[in-house]
Amino acid sequence: MMAARPETEDHLESDAVERGLRYLAEVPRSQRGPAVPALKAIGLSAKDACEVLRIHNLRMSRAH
């Protein structure tokens, strides 16, 4: 049985997820276009791209 992932960032992200998070933070949306294709273009898998977006959106919601 798989345990549910906690809604915190205490877990360690993979290098690919960290790279994706940095990319979203550094590259303006107007330059990169849609997030998933842009993340896949820098080498992330679809699974990692979804994880990046989950964490990114969580951080954005906490910032407001």
Side-chain angles (χ1 to χ4, degrees):
M1 183 168 98
M2 291 179 59
R5 175 168 290 194
E7 290 300 318
T8 66
E9 295 176 43
D10 294 337
H11 63 280
L12 296 173
E13 287 93 22
S14 70
D15 289 340
V17 171
E18 285 292 333
R19 185 166 29 101
L21 289 167
R22 252 189 337 273
Y23 180 79
L24 289 183
E26 294 172 359
V27 179
R29 185 174 186 180
S30 61
Q31 291 180 359
R32 66 172 160 78
V36 172
L39 291 168
K40 289 179 78 178
I42 64 166
L44 273 68
S45 67
K47 179 184 175 190
D48 285 340
C50 289
E51 180 66 3
V52 167
L53 292 177
R54 184 189 75 79
I55 294 169
H56 179 74
N57 288 334
L58 183 61
R59 289 178 180 174
M60 295 297 289
S61 69
R62 288 180 179 167
H64 291 269

